[in-house]
Amino acid sequence: MAEQHDFFATAEHRPLSGERLWQVLEHWQRQGWIRALDLALVRMLAQLTDDAEPELLLAAAMASHQLGRGHICLDLEATLADPDAALSLPPEGAFGEQLPDKPSELLGNLTLSQWLERIASSALVASGPGSAPLVLEPGAPARLYLRRQWVYEVEVAEALGERLATNPVESLGAGTIERLDRLFTAPAVDTIDWQRLACALASVNRFSIITGGPGTGKTTTVVRLLALLQSQALSDGRALRIRLAAPTGKAAARLTESISRAVSSLPDGMGEAIPTEVTTLHRLLGSRPDSRHFRHNADNPLHADLVVIDEASMIDLEMMHSLLKALPPSARLILLGDKDQLASVEAGAVLGDLCLDAEQGGYSAATLSGVSKAGAGDLALWQAQWGVSGDQPLAQHIVMLRHSHRFGEHSGIGHLARGVNRGDIKQVEQAFSSYDASLALLEPRTDQAPALRELVLSGGRLGREHGAEGYSGYLRQLEATRPDSGNFRDDIWQSWATGLLEAFTRFRVLCALRKGPWGVEGLNQRIEQVLSEAGLLKADQLWYEGRPVMLTRNDYALGLMNGDIGLCLRVPQDEGGEALRVVFPLADGSLKWVLPSRLQSTETVFAMTVHKSQGSEFAHTTLVLPPGPNPVLTRELIYTGITRASDWFTLVMPARARLYEAIGTRVHRASALRSRILASAQQ
Ligand SMILES: Nc1ncnc2c1ncn2[C@@H]1O[C@H](COP(=O)(O)OP(=O)(O)OP(=O)(O)O)[C@@H](O)[C@H]1O
């Protein structure tokens, strides 16, 4: 590949001078194309040595910037092929403008081999373990890492590779099969019971992934798996220590509810000693204020025999690293999640990377023979129909659930989500035209369109025809059910607040962008204005009754996490009189009341980004796309937005082309995690 790039380079690359480098980097930072953090890192690197070529420092700035965009490393070859894409140029709102000092001007005629040479020649760069702050892997594709990311990737791959190295599926014994028979009915002829298969495979492995779209039974399956393993352990005289966690408080609270439901429907005698309390990953690992290190680590592992993590698509590489470090070697790890959802906010796409081929199965002869007695159907025949065979270690540990019990064949949301996932524009259009009881499409010309106003107030057409409300439902409930006496600690005020928190989840506006009139910032202002004009709230100050807020940073002193959502309510005080307090739901079902002045970093959340909505579900979800092209518009973003809806979904798109472009664009995050894991498992 290096030669190929050299071949296409037509003009000579003029070496970059130090002076020009700093001019350009400062310009990039002023423009917001790179972060202040990226520039500070490069300045720090430049001070460590005087042998760093400007082209190396440029690569370091881009690697740091790419990390901020979720990439674990800088793919040097891809960067040379499209240098401006590495800085997401053109920026939001600047489409078509002439932009000076773009990366393509600096890297235009540089060949890969020249760049590699200049990077590798510095003491700042190593090709593997050591203390140099950068790591260069010159293979194909050549990658430049900041050292910490390289260490995370290597150590996660080693830990998972070690867990994948064994596949004792032949040990599936008569006791397990008898329990599977109690937990599952026999599958229909010629079908595969993927849930049963997942249970059988995960019952013998130390690492398993159960992936599937919304309502495919991930929770149901894992609860049956816990029942199977715990009843086995109890009959051996030693209960398993089981821990359940999810990346966010919201996801943990949702899973607590669905696990409790699933445990109560287990066959008699099989629900014993199965916990239903789900904690956040941060709490599970023991987060420490202002530190990226956790209380539980390799020296102080978790007290657990089995750890289940839900919403695993939200786990970034660093968190996966911390989790694997804290996991005792003998403990089982089970990840649940939807591989097609957006990747984590922070860097990495761990679940997506691991599940790249999950749809095809790819089970080996040993796995097929081992599970043939599990009663899940003829997996060998199913796989033969796909023409797939395999002995790739990762595939033996993954099961994809394929049938949605929530969004079945006749569900509009299911039809639409499947169409988006397949990139099938026809199916997407057909979904909107055929399923008008659950789906609506709005194509407003401006952000002031009356139809948008109606959507926000009362749910638009879905509100009029099918009872899918907008924000007026929550705000009317606030006034109509307000208790008339007592104090905010009284049960009556607590249940009022609980009801309002629940009502607020019935409708939500999700945005692809943060900035601009079609982003979170503009739409929050617009929604406040619409609701104020309708007399539903008085948004004349920062804090007003009815304001929904989201924390934008962890607040360890208050025990609240980034992403937690609360409502600002006017409540009677202990000492008499009334005051505004913000009420937050906690994972254990209790409420936390906080004075607004104690909240450091919050933002209004009538509109929120799709990223922040992961792990949540709203009865009526509205997804707003911007009119202009933007690299954040991807298939995964649209799918994640749609699948936040439990009953109704409205898509707002000022320009149809954005939807088509997004559906055709897949998220790609540079990393070598998958190939490293496979190499490590085969060693
Ligand atoms: N095999 C099954 N047969 C009938 N109903 C099922 C089956 N599996 C799951 N369900 C039902 O489907 C619904 C969704 O199941 P579950 O909550 O386990 O799915 P999930 O994949 O965890 O969903 P999500 O992650 O989207 O919340 C539940 O009401 C559950 O009882």
Side-chain angles (χ1 to χ4, degrees):
M1 279 309 244
E3 286 71 15
Q4 193 183 34
H5 204 90
D6 290 358
F7 176 80
F8 284 112
T10 48
E12 278 290 294
H13 170 71
R14 289 221 333 264
L16 195 57
S17 71
E19 197 184 343
R20 170 110 166 99
L21 171 82
W22 294 115
Q23 264 174 8
V24 167
L25 289 182
E26 280 161 19
H27 169 72
W28 287 1
Q29 200 248 305
R30 276 195 308 275
Q31 295 293 315
W33 297 353
I34 61 172
R35 302 169 298 173
L37 183 74
D38 306 325
L39 182 56
L41 173 96
V42 183
R43 286 214 167 100
M44 192 266 294
L45 292 176
Q47 280 167 8
L48 292 178
T49 167
D50 46 19
D51 74 352
E53 299 257 11
E55 283 84 354
L56 159 63
L57 295 174
L58 185 69
M62 292 175 104
S64 172
H65 170 77
Q66 288 289 71
L67 179 61
R69 292 179 56 214
H71 300 275
I72 299 301
C73 53
L74 181 72
D75 178 332
L76 295 168
E77 207 170 317
T79 305
L80 282 185
D82 189 358
D84 297 342
L87 296 193
S88 315
L89 298 179
E92 243 174 69
F95 201 67
E97 285 177 28
Q98 284 298 321
L99 302 167
D101 290 338
K102 286 190 294 188
S104 48
E105 286 176 28
L106 281 75
L107 293 172
N109 298 317
L110 185 68
T111 65
L112 182 61
S113 48
Q114 284 170 334
W115 207 9
L116 286 174
E117 202 178 300
R118 277 165 216 205
I119 292 173
S121 64
S122 169
L124 293 171
V125 181
S127 59
S131 57
L134 301 169
V135 179
L136 174 67
E137 293 199 332
R143 300 183 178 96
L144 183 69
Y145 291 80
L146 307 189
R147 174 160 298 277
R148 192 188 292 145
Q149 305 309 315
W150 183 81
V151 170
Y152 292 155
E153 197 176 273
V154 168
E155 293 188 354
V156 165
E158 280 171 5
L160 288 181
E162 198 262 315
R163 283 170 180 274
L164 295 175
T166 52
N167 177 28
V169 70
E170 73 286 354
S171 66
L172 211 59
T176 306
I177 290 166
E178 187 255 319
R179 286 185 175 87
L180 283 172
D181 286 340
R182 286 185 64 198
L183 289 161
F184 294 88
T185 50
V189 183
D190 292 340
T191 62
I192 305 290
D193 184 342
W194 297 102
Q195 297 186 348
R196 188 169 171 136
L197 175 71
C199 223
L201 278 181
S203 74
V204 289
N205 280 317
R206 266 193 312 144
F207 174 67
S208 308
I209 298 177
I210 303 175
T211 185
T216 47
K218 299 179 290 294
T219 315
T220 308
T221 305
V222 87
V223 163
R224 290 181 190 179
L225 171 69
L226 297 181
L228 187 153
L229 293 172
Q230 190 64 292
S231 68
Q232 232 157 27
L234 289 173
S235 67
D236 295 343
R238 185 182 165 273
L240 291 173
R241 294 165 303 170
I242 299 172
R243 302 298 308 272
L244 312 172
T248 65
K250 191 89 208 157
R254 267 193 67 214
L255 186 64
T256 301
E257 254 180 55
S258 52
I259 289 242
S260 308
R261 258 198 318 270
V263 168
S264 66
S265 63
L266 284 170
D268 282 349
M270 291 200 76
E272 216 181 316
I274 299 184
T276 51
E277 195 196 315
V278 185
T279 183
T280 61
L281 252 174
H282 276 90
R283 268 198 201 111
L284 176 78
L285 299 180
S287 55
R288 294 167 163 168
D290 302 321
S291 165
R292 62 194 327 148
H293 299 292
F294 291 98
R295 217 157 21 80
H296 288 292
N297 49 41
D299 297 326
N300 177 29
L302 287 165
H303 305 293
D305 303 306
L306 194 162
V307 175
V308 176
I309 312 287
D310 193 21
E311 298 287 355
S313 56
M314 295 166 78
I315 304 178
D316 57 75
L317 182 68
E318 180 174 355
M319 184 52 109
M320 193 67 188
H321 182 257
S322 303
L323 172 65
L324 289 166
K325 284 275 168 205
L327 201 66
S330 59
R332 284 164 199 269
L333 175 62
I334 295 157
L335 302 181
L336 309 179
D338 184 346
K339 69 179 178 61
D340 296 315
Q341 273 195 34
L342 272 176
S344 51
V345 175
E346 302 296 333
V350 177
L351 191 75
D353 284 349
L354 297 180
C355 294
L356 202 65
D357 298 330
E359 192 149 6
Q360 303 172 22
Y363 299 110
S364 66
T367 303
L368 293 174
S369 142
V371 295
S372 61
K373 50 192 180 227
D378 193 341
L379 189 62
L381 181 66
W382 176 87
Q383 193 159 282
Q385 284 162 358
W386 271 81
V388 178
S389 60
D391 55 1
Q392 184 251 69
L394 203 42
Q396 316 314 312
H397 296 249
I398 300 176
V399 175
M400 177 175 152
L401 307 182
R402 293 150 200 261
H403 175 69
S404 177
H405 295 274
R406 193 173 309 139
F407 302 131
E409 293 291 296
H410 306 295
S411 148
I413 294 172
H415 198 66
L416 178 63
R418 286 188 288 273
V420 167
N421 246 349
R422 286 191 198 126
D424 184 340
I425 288 171
K426 253 201 183 128
Q427 180 167 339
V428 168
E429 289 189 331
Q430 194 243 337
F432 281 109
S433 56
S434 316
Y435 293 90
D436 60 0
S438 59
L439 301 176
L441 190 59
L442 213 64
E443 300 183 75
R445 293 246 171 95
T446 75
D447 60 320
Q448 303 292 317
L452 264 182
R453 190 172 177 282
E454 200 212 330
L455 174 67
V456 166
L457 278 174
S458 49
R461 181 179 59 71
L462 293 174
R464 275 196 314 279
E465 294 175 8
H466 306 288
E469 63 192 28
Y471 283 127
S472 61
Y474 146 66
L475 290 166
R476 291 223 161 86
Q477 181 170 331
L478 190 157
E479 277 310 331
T481 59
R482 183 196 299 279
D484 54 11
S485 62
N487 130 353
F488 77 95
R489 293 183 208 283
D490 296 346
D491 286 352
I492 187 167
W493 286 90
Q494 300 277 322
S495 50
W496 175 65
T498 305
L500 292 177
L501 285 162
E502 203 279 317
F504 185 63
T505 66
R506 291 205 291 267
F507 179 68
R508 193 62 43 89
V509 174
L510 306 181
C511 305
L513 304 186
R514 288 199 59 77
K515 299 201 182 302
W518 300 92
V520 166
E521 289 173 9
L523 276 168
N524 269 320
Q525 281 180 10
R526 176 83 187 114
I527 294 171
E528 279 178 338
Q529 188 195 359
V530 165
L531 298 174
S532 295
E533 283 167 5
L536 289 163
L537 50 79
K538 235 174 121 193
D540 50 355
Q541 308 206 357
L542 176 64
W543 289 101
Y544 56 85
E545 184 170 48
R547 180 185 178 206
V549 290
M550 178 168 63
L551 253 67
T552 52
R553 290 171 70 166
N554 292 343
D555 189 328
Y556 295 98
L558 289 174
L560 295 172
M561 293 290 151
N562 186 349
D564 283 354
I565 289 180
L567 299 176
C568 181
L569 300 174
R570 185 165 46 82
V571 287
Q573 296 296 98
D574 292 337
E575 57 279 9
E578 289 183 327
L580 290 175
R581 281 183 185 260
V582 186
V583 64
F584 289 91
L586 299 181
D588 64 3
S590 65
L591 299 180
K592 182 159 190 90
W593 296 86
V594 185
L595 287 169
S597 56
R598 290 199 60 198
L599 292 170
Q600 303 288 330
S601 311
T602 55
E603 59 189 34
T604 304
V605 70
F606 283 118
M608 67 198 293
T609 59
V610 176
H611 271 101
K612 286 283 186 182
S613 75
Q614 285 183 87
S616 298
E617 203 177 73
F618 314 103
H620 182 185
T621 299
T622 284
L623 172 63
V624 180
L625 303 184
N630 193 291
V632 306
L633 296 174
T634 60
R635 183 182 298 179
E636 289 81 356
L637 180 115
I638 307 282
Y639 172 81
T640 306
I642 295 168
T643 54
R644 299 311 86 212
S646 60
D647 300 308
W648 301 284
F649 176 75
T650 299
L651 180 65
V652 178
M653 49 175 196
R656 208 166 258 243
R658 298 297 84 76
L659 176 68
Y660 300 157
E661 284 158 13
I663 291 175
T665 310
R666 305 298 307 263
V667 168
H668 166 71
R669 286 190 162 181
S671 106
L673 182 64
R674 186 180 169 81
S675 53
R676 264 190 231 287
I677 292 174
L678 295 177
S680 166
Q682 271 153 354
Q683 265 168 17

